[in-house]
Amino acid sequence: MKKSIFVLVGAVMTLQVLAQVPDSIVHSQREKEVVLEEVVVSVQKRNQSSLEVPVSVNALSGADLIKLDVRQFDELSEYIPGMQMQLQSPNNPGYVIRGVTSDDGDSRSQARVSIFQDGISISRSRASAVELFDLDRIEVVKGPQGTLFGRGAEIGALHIIRKKPVNALSAEIGLGYGSYNRKLADGFFNTPVLKDKLLNRFAFAFEDRDGFIKNLSGGDLNGKSTFALRNSTRLFAGEKTMIDLVLDYQRDNYPGTSFKNKQYAPAGGDTSPNTMADLEQGKNLYIKRNLGGGGLFVSYDINRAWKFNSISGLRAFNSDESFDADGTASPLMWISEIEEGKQFSQELRFNYTNNRNFNGFAGASYFYENSSQEVPLRINEQALYTAYSSKLLNGMFASLFSPDIANALFPDIPALSGGKFNSVANIPDIRGRLEQIYSQQLGMTLTLEQIFASLPAEQRQQLIGTIDLLSNHAINALHEETYKNTATNHAAEVFADGTWQITRQLGLTAGVRLSYEHQRGTYEAAPSKQPSILGILSSGSPNLLSAVSNGEIADSKRYYSVVMRTAMNYLIGRNNLYASVSRGRRPGVVFVLPEGTTFLSPEIIWSYEAGVKGILLNGKLNYDLAAYYYDWSHFQSASLRLQEGALVAEYVPDDAGKAHSLGVEASLRYALLPYLNVFGTYAYIDGKFNDKDGDGHEQQYAGHRFRLTPEHSFSLGTDLSYALRKGQLLYLRPAYSWKSKVYFEDDNDERLTQKGYGLLNCTAGFRFKSLKNGKMYMEIGAYGKNILNEKYIIDAGNSGNAIGFPTFIAGNPAVFGGQIRIGF
């Protein structure tokens, strides 16, 4: 606690820099006064300055995203204090807010962090990573936000607000080229169809680049190819009614992800995750994804005080990822993950605005989701024998006989030698070798029946039968099996939230959301058509990983919940002191398996937060400081566990018990000169599992830090925008971010970590307007990302960890490029 207090005091005393890069600075080089614009957010369902909201919220405008060349979520997280983003691929995003991760792809799991587009949830993991283009702003609100954003916002929400049509003709197109054959294109076309009545805006984004990891087996890895488009139509149906229809679609077609093993180097290479790999499926490794949907938004002004809003959302996605789970040239494990889902949501809300003393909203919502995950698994058991199975048999026979005999029966054979995989086509002649070993030891010829003559008859027959079954048994060159899980979720909610302005300075905010959920989960796995002798031996199952079910099995459960928040704030000029208490919840899990259904209790968090934010020095200094403490019960985690009827362990959800998190965040932006401002963030997080659970029992992860959570992180940078003459602007925008050591698993395995590292990015360029009409503009710029070419990883462990082959995923290397943007 002393350390935490020291960090809090240090954060308050240290000059930090803000993630909310200003959309613009109102100035000219001849003006003496420089004023930072306040950021407008809508987290409380109405437009407010972020300084007025009694929660921790950061926002980046669409102009800020362009300034920083932020096109995807992991780039965004470098400028948001307390937020980390892991992006293996668009199919595998991981969102981390204040130390808690939301990244599970199982259809039966629920999100901790809500991802919204224009008020519509897109939180399902495999459908949440979208391209960032033609945006009004992105808001990140931290802490339990179930009252504001619904059932999935246990630890926070990320809200994408896209640009809507305006009543003016305008257009823009941007083109770029960079390292690794990176090709960029984006733009929009906005037009009034019927002036003041019907407006339309079409926008698109395209990015394609080669992978930065060469694959010796063919192709490259960690590349990108995506295309997204969106059309927005706005209708003014009278003076009081506005209707928006937004349709969007995104297509991803990436090369595979480099899950690289650090034990066995590719031929002619090394074990670094940042260098070439040899993943034996070559160009058969890929990520393909389609997602899209529509949103219908209706706003009706009942009178000056009351407004009615309706938000209807329909979305669907399908994805197919093919990956090499062992990370080597050996055909050990080739896995696919095929997911699809569809959802419908409807929210009806009434907003009340009384500028004198009360503002609030109340409403109801319904959410339906049906999703599935299918996992085909292909294993070369002859290669698996050298990597895993022989060691398993060695351990089994060591317990029956002795380690020396076990080693003689199953000698250690490396899985790969010189970059080439080793394989064994038949299990050794165990009977013959045992008879030979015992005959040599005793100096006489013995049979198994004589060696085990002292055993009871039934035990002797069973042991000899097992040995004879294994001896010289052919091992499959190909073993295939598939399991599938599905989930159907219904949720109905009613909610209310409001702020009572007790005095001009003192405000009280309170909100509550009542939820009813019905969750149904299923599981299905057929017996393999190439039965595994090792699976039959160890568990009586022809499968290695997935427990065989008798057709589809299903289970369901109903949940009722209440989440709430209370906050008080006190305004001193444009400075806001606030404190809040809130209760958050992650929905329970219905995890169906043949051995039985695991009903994980909903994860509950109590949050206590205090902060101060505001503007000082005549509008030149904008600051935001916050401290918080979180207390969890029924913390949902995942651990490697061997299912009944399986030979290979897999990650399954479990209740990790009690946990806590203590943190401090600080941010600041300062207009140093009329043409120069500084910005950045700092965050300290002490997130750990408690030593004991609620019943006083020692916990599995006692004292372990949360995964993907740096203890310290910061970012800082400058925005130099120098006006040369009327309509001409020269800019330079360097930014540096750093984070301390992170663990990639909750068990805090030291092998699966990333030490602290920093990334330096920069954009620079020249912008000018047409001297004839002042409407046309052009911008020519350059960018550099990870300029110092820092070597780091973004994930470790993964599916290969189940057979002792943990894999590692490299972070992006240095990339450079140029762009041109023209518009009017």
Side-chain angles (χ1 to χ4, degrees):
M1 181 61 74
K2 290 181 179 179
K3 179 180 179 182
S4 302
I5 294 173
F6 174 78
V7 172
L8 174 60
V9 174
V12 175
M13 296 179 64
T14 303
L15 184 66
Q16 306 298 340
V17 196
L18 173 62
Q20 296 164 231
V21 186
D23 186 18
S24 62
I25 299 179
V26 182
H27 71 271
S28 77
Q29 288 176 231
R30 295 184 177 88
E31 289 177 330
K32 294 181 180 180
E33 294 299 322
V34 182
V35 179
L36 295 172
E37 290 186 348
E38 296 182 23
V39 178
V40 175
V41 297
S42 56
V43 295
Q44 296 192 133
K45 310 301 181 184
R46 60 186 184 275
N47 289 336
Q48 297 174 275
S49 165
S50 63
L51 302 181
E52 300 172 354
V53 181
V55 298
S56 179
V57 57
N58 297 98
L60 289 176
S61 72
D64 299 334
L65 298 173
I66 292 174
K67 284 181 178 182
L68 297 168
D69 195 36
V70 171
R71 296 174 179 268
Q72 54 191 41
F73 282 144
D74 58 336
E75 297 169 341
L76 171 72
S77 65
E78 296 174 17
Y79 306 102
I80 303 294
M83 176 181 174
Q84 306 294 327
M85 174 66 186
Q86 178 200 67
L87 193 62
Q88 288 185 12
S89 73
N91 200 47
N92 280 284
Y95 306 93
V96 187
I97 291 184
R98 289 181 169 177
V100 179
T101 301
S102 182
D103 65 350
D104 197 335
D106 192 295
S107 67
R108 296 161 292 186
S109 68
Q110 303 293 320
R112 282 190 176 105
V113 176
S114 281
I115 313 298
F116 274 76
Q117 277 189 157
D118 297 329
I120 296 174
S121 175
I122 58 169
S123 302
R124 173 58 53 188
S125 171
R126 300 307 189 243
S128 62
V130 295
E131 289 296 290
L132 306 179
F133 67 101
D134 198 39
L135 301 183
D136 186 78
R137 65 186 180 277
I138 295 180
E139 302 172 354
V140 179
V141 57
K142 288 163 281 188
Q145 301 300 334
T147 300
L148 300 175
F149 288 96
R151 56 198 289 273
E154 183 218 25
I155 198 62
L158 191 155
H159 192 192
I160 304 165
I161 296 97
R162 300 174 290 186
K163 285 189 175 181
K164 305 301 185 297
V166 295
N167 196 30
L169 182 64
S170 60
E172 181 180 275
I173 186 167
L175 300 171
Y177 186 81
S179 306
Y180 300 97
N181 197 28
R182 187 189 192 203
K183 298 175 285 291
L184 300 167
D186 63 78
F188 71 86
F189 180 70
N190 187 100
T191 181
V193 179
L194 296 173
K195 189 176 181 180
D196 300 327
K197 277 285 187 180
L198 183 64
L199 315 174
N200 197 78
R201 187 182 187 95
F202 174 80
F204 74 94
F206 168 80
E207 181 174 351
D208 182 90
R209 74 167 162 77
D210 299 338
F212 56 81
I213 300 290
K214 178 183 177 181
N215 189 6
L216 293 183
S217 288
D220 52 38
L221 304 162
N222 293 17
K224 180 175 183 177
S225 181
T226 189
F227 174 70
L229 54 86
R230 176 169 69 246
N231 193 80
S232 306
T233 303
R234 171 165 286 180
L235 172 67
F236 292 98
E239 295 182 355
K240 295 185 176 183
T241 304
M242 183 175 70
I243 302 172
D244 285 312
L245 175 65
V246 181
L247 304 174
D248 62 80
Y249 172 75
Q250 180 170 325
R251 166 68 175 171
D252 300 312
N253 187 10
Y254 285 43
T257 300
S258 179
F259 293 91
K260 187 175 177 181
N261 180 271
K262 289 178 68 174
Q263 183 179 357
Y264 296 102
D270 56 43
T271 58
S272 169
N274 305 92
T275 59
M276 69 176 182
D278 191 0
L279 308 188
E280 55 90 23
Q281 280 299 317
K283 294 183 179 181
N284 288 329
L285 307 176
Y286 57 80
I287 302 108
K288 301 180 187 293
R289 188 180 66 144
N290 296 278
L291 69 156
L296 180 65
F297 310 86
V298 180
S299 175
Y300 176 70
D301 295 329
I302 301 172
N303 53 41
R304 290 185 178 181
W306 286 94
K307 176 182 286 189
F308 170 75
N309 291 278
S310 170
I311 302 176
S312 308
L314 184 66
R315 291 191 64 79
F317 80 95
N318 61 69
S319 66
D320 180 0
E321 178 169 8
S322 170
F323 62 97
D324 188 317
D326 59 88
T328 70
S330 177
L332 279 177
M333 295 180 73
W334 174 26
I335 300 178
S336 292
E337 183 190 72
I338 302 167
E339 293 219 18
E340 61 181 37
K342 56 185 177 181
Q343 69 176 60
F344 169 77
S345 61
Q346 176 64 56
E347 179 180 299
L348 302 175
R349 185 180 74 247
F350 290 91
N351 279 59
Y352 177 78
T353 301
N354 179 335
N355 291 325
R356 290 175 297 175
N357 56 16
F358 185 80
N359 296 281
F361 62 86
S365 65
Y366 171 75
F367 179 83
Y368 165 81
E369 176 188 41
N370 184 279
S371 58
S372 66
Q373 179 193 53
E374 185 175 357
V375 182
L377 171 71
R378 311 161 193 90
I379 292 179
N380 183 320
E381 287 196 80
Q382 296 179 359
L384 182 70
Y385 182 88
T386 63
Y388 180 74
S389 306
S390 65
K391 298 175 180 60
L392 194 71
L393 290 170
N394 187 301
M396 181 189 304
F397 276 79
S399 64
L400 291 172
F401 301 99
S402 70
D404 289 340
I405 291 178
N407 291 335
L409 293 173
F410 308 103
D412 185 36
I413 305 172
L416 291 96
S417 302
K420 303 298 182 182
F421 74 93
N422 296 317
S423 63
V424 173
N426 295 83
I427 296 175
D429 180 7
I430 302 174
R431 170 184 273 272
R433 289 191 182 184
L434 278 174
E435 290 176 344
Q436 182 182 22
I437 290 169
Y438 277 94
S439 296
Q440 290 176 349
Q441 287 179 350
L442 299 176
M444 63 180 70
T445 301
L446 296 172
T447 65
L448 274 188
E449 288 73 14
Q450 292 172 318
I451 294 171
F452 300 138
S454 61
L455 293 177
E458 184 177 349
Q459 183 180 354
R460 181 173 66 249
Q461 291 174 1
Q462 184 177 8
L463 180 57
I464 292 174
T466 299
I467 291 173
D468 286 339
L469 175 66
L470 287 173
S471 293
N472 290 313
H473 196 290
I475 303 174
N476 292 327
L478 176 65
H479 170 88
E480 295 179 291
E481 61 185 77
T482 299
Y483 72 86
K484 181 178 182 179
N485 59 72
T486 71
T488 304
N489 300 311
H490 299 264
E493 301 177 307
V494 293
F495 53 86
D497 191 280
T499 299
W500 174 36
Q501 207 61 44
I502 301 171
T503 69
R504 292 185 64 182
Q505 288 80 34
L506 182 64
L508 172 64
T509 298
V512 63
R513 183 178 292 255
L514 309 177
S515 301
Y516 161 79
E517 297 167 311
H518 181 262
Q519 296 176 221
R520 181 179 186 270
T522 74
Y523 174 89
E524 183 175 7
S528 173
K529 295 180 180 179
Q530 304 91 20
S532 168
I533 180 60
L534 296 173
I536 294 171
L537 172 67
S538 64
S539 60
S541 169
N543 291 358
L544 288 169
L545 177 68
S546 44
V548 175
S549 66
N550 184 18
E552 183 182 87
I553 55 176
D555 216 329
S556 63
K557 190 169 184 177
R558 291 178 170 85
Y559 294 94
Y560 301 88
S561 71
V562 179
V563 295
M564 62 190 74
R565 69 167 183 150
T566 302
M568 293 199 72
N569 69 294
Y570 189 81
L571 291 171
I572 304 175
R574 296 303 296 161
N575 299 277
N576 189 0
L577 290 83
Y578 68 91
S580 68
V581 178
S582 55
R583 182 182 190 269
R585 172 186 178 273
R586 184 189 192 187
V589 175
V590 180
F591 194 77
V592 183
L593 287 174
E595 63 190 73
T597 301
T598 298
F599 295 101
L600 287 187
S601 299
E603 181 178 291
I604 303 298
I605 176 177
W606 280 97
S607 165
Y608 310 89
E609 181 171 342
V612 57
K613 51 187 172 180
I615 294 180
L616 298 172
L617 303 179
N618 296 319
K620 293 182 180 181
L621 177 66
N622 186 314
Y623 68 94
D624 191 339
L625 302 173
Y628 59 89
Y629 179 79
Y630 295 157
D631 184 19
W632 276 277
S633 57
H634 302 295
F635 192 97
Q636 295 173 14
S637 183
S639 59
L640 275 174
R641 194 175 76 194
L642 189 66
Q643 295 184 30
E644 182 179 319
L647 179 69
V648 179
E650 67 171 329
Y651 286 97
V652 296
D654 61 11
D655 188 331
K658 298 279 289 180
H660 69 273
S661 182
L662 173 69
V664 175
E665 293 170 358
S667 59
L668 178 150
R669 54 186 168 118
Y670 180 60
L672 191 63
L673 294 169
Y675 50 84
L676 177 65
N677 65 89
V678 293
F679 57 90
T681 68
Y682 169 78
Y684 165 78
I685 303 174
D686 181 30
K688 294 179 180 178
F689 294 95
N690 292 7
D691 291 337
K692 295 184 179 180
D693 63 19
D695 297 323
H697 302 131
E698 187 167 329
Q699 300 193 134
Q700 178 183 3
Y701 300 132
H704 289 191
R705 287 189 59 81
F706 293 160
R707 57 189 288 260
L708 297 176
T709 302
E711 186 175 11
H712 301 279
S713 60
F714 73 84
S715 66
L716 55 89
T718 64
D719 182 356
L720 172 65
S721 299
Y722 192 83
L724 300 176
R725 59 180 183 176
K726 187 176 181 180
Q728 296 183 2
L729 185 72
L730 185 69
Y731 63 87
L732 177 67
R733 295 157 185 156
Y736 181 80
S737 61
W738 183 89
K739 62 184 71 174
S740 61
K741 175 181 178 180
V742 297
Y743 292 96
F744 291 107
E745 299 293 345
D746 285 333
D747 63 7
N748 286 188
D749 187 335
E750 287 293 339
R751 300 172 304 159
L752 310 180
T753 62
Q754 168 61 53
K755 65 180 182 180
Y757 69 95
L759 300 177
L760 176 63
N761 302 323
C762 186
T763 60
F766 178 67
R767 181 184 177 96
F768 59 92
K769 291 184 178 180
S770 168
L771 296 179
K772 291 183 178 181
N773 56 29
K775 293 182 179 180
M776 292 286 295
Y777 61 86
M778 176 181 290
E779 182 175 322
I780 301 173
Y783 63 86
K785 299 188 178 186
N786 189 11
I787 293 172
L788 303 179
N789 202 27
E790 183 77 27
K791 306 295 185 185
Y792 65 101
I793 60 172
I794 61 171
D795 200 13
N798 304 301
S799 300
N801 204 28
I803 58 170
F805 273 60
T807 56
F808 302 77
I809 302 175
N812 289 1
V815 294
F816 302 91
Q819 300 179 81
I820 183 170
R821 192 171 296 275
I822 303 173
F824 65 88

